[in-house]
Amino acid sequence: MTLAPRAAPPHTDEDADMPSRADCIADSAGGLTFDITDPGLVAATGDAHLVLRHRDRAEEVRLPLTPAADGRLRAALPSTVELPEGRWDVYAQVADGESQRVAPGLNDLRSLVDRVPSGARGHVAVRIPYATKHGNLSVRSWLRAPHAEAGELHIGKEDLSVRGQVYGVKLLPDAYAELRLREEPETVLKADVTPDQEQFRLTVDYTGLAVGVWDLWLRPAGESGPRVRIARLLDDIADKKPIFTYPKATLETGHGKAVAWPYYTSDNDLSITVTTAP
């Protein structure tokens, strides 16, 4: 998709009731550019800012809005500016005036598809703009150090195989995976990992899992190293839970007949649900 430039429309009284609308362009390094089309905002006097506010914490990031082509205002969020993990709501503000929610325009997220970060900074930063259920613009941010990216999932009759890649840490021969029962975090099962430089492969046997939700973690350096949540972040989908669905396996376990399937959480982390078969 090519984003064509638009001429700024004439300012009318009705514009005062319309929210500012921002087109977003993502770059492969993790940066975002916001282009706002709002004749009222462009014509306002005083410094204008795009304000990102963390939804759950009292934190905000203020980005100057400067004139760009076609009567727009532009704000840049470089990849070098740290944006802590979470959901950030987007506002526009002029001088000390009241901030106003920004609506989403066109999102050009092509550079995020099949993105492969260098990992040279020791972390992976992901920012994906999206439209909320109320029609506002927000940004979902992840900041993982290190990071274990889930790739291809293969669903077997009684198991799940995961291929992935690590960033910011080396895979050692004694690497393994952990499955932690969410309701009882002290309940931990291990799964073997086959390392291949920065890539890994692991297989989870469903038949050994009790009923509940199991979260998948990677121990890339064994017991002495970090515990890294396995997630799928490196694409253009902010919320994979309602979009990525996988087949359910019905099987006999030591706890009776059960149904098991993988899914991505609201944070795009990889987990497995096991329920009693009906």
Side-chain angles (χ1 to χ4, degrees):
M1 178 180 67
T2 301
L3 299 180
R6 298 192 301 232
H11 185 210
T12 68
D13 291 338
E14 294 180 356
D15 292 329
D17 298 326
M18 298 295 292
S20 301
R21 189 172 299 275
D23 296 339
C24 298
I25 301 176
D27 63 49
S28 59
L32 289 176
T33 300
F34 303 85
D35 280 347
I36 288 187
T37 302
D38 183 340
L41 192 64
V42 172
T45 58
D47 294 334
H49 287 84
L50 194 77
V51 184
L52 307 180
R53 291 179 180 161
H54 197 286
R55 191 173 298 176
D56 301 319
R57 299 197 299 266
E59 295 184 41
E60 69 176 32
V61 174
R62 301 178 64 84
L63 305 172
L65 281 165
T66 57
D70 304 313
R72 295 181 170 195
L73 293 176
R74 175 169 293 174
L77 176 66
S79 60
T80 53
V81 174
E82 184 173 304
L83 195 67
E85 189 158 324
R87 298 181 187 271
W88 296 77
D89 297 329
V90 182
Y91 296 80
Q93 185 177 25
V94 176
D96 296 328
E98 184 178 353
S99 58
Q100 302 291 335
R101 246 351 208 118
V102 174
L106 296 177
N107 287 339
D108 184 353
L109 309 181
R110 291 170 294 178
S111 63
L112 300 182
V113 179
D114 298 325
R115 177 184 168 215
V116 181
S118 67
R121 297 177 182 170
H123 67 260
V124 169
V126 178
R127 294 90 174 263
I128 304 178
Y130 70 98
T132 70
K133 63 181 179 181
H134 299 297
N136 296 314
L137 177 63
S138 292
V139 175
R140 184 64 173 93
S141 174
W142 288 268
L143 189 63
R144 300 285 173 96
H147 171 55
E149 175 74 6
E152 177 184 353
L153 303 186
H154 177 74
I155 315 297
K157 292 183 178 180
E158 295 185 341
D159 57 31
L160 166 69
S161 294
V162 182
R163 292 182 180 274
Q165 182 165 341
V166 295
Y167 297 89
V169 66
K170 290 186 177 296
L171 270 174
L172 300 183
D174 51 350
Y176 64 90
E178 287 184 350
L179 293 93
R180 289 182 168 264
L181 187 59
R182 189 177 300 172
E183 296 82 359
E184 301 174 5
E186 67 278 5
T187 300
V188 180
L189 300 178
K190 293 184 178 181
D192 292 336
V193 165
T194 302
D196 182 9
Q197 296 182 352
E198 289 83 21
Q199 298 184 347
F200 65 89
R201 179 169 56 86
L202 66 93
T203 300
V204 177
D205 183 358
Y206 287 151
T207 62
L209 303 181
V211 169
V213 177
W214 296 83
D215 296 327
L216 274 67
W217 297 77
L218 183 68
R219 300 297 296 266
E223 292 186 4
S224 62
R227 180 181 292 113
V228 185
R229 190 70 165 93
I230 299 176
R232 182 164 181 169
L233 309 180
L234 299 177
D235 56 27
D236 60 344
I237 302 174
D239 188 1
K240 296 176 178 60
K241 187 174 183 179
I243 298 176
F244 285 41
T245 58
Y246 296 97
K248 298 180 179 181
T250 301
L251 56 148
E252 293 288 347
T253 73
H255 309 281
K257 184 173 286 188
V259 178
W261 68 95
Y263 78 100
Y264 286 104
T265 71
S266 58
D267 291 325
N268 290 355
D269 296 325
L270 182 60
S271 296
I272 296 172
T273 294
V274 181
T275 64
T276 302

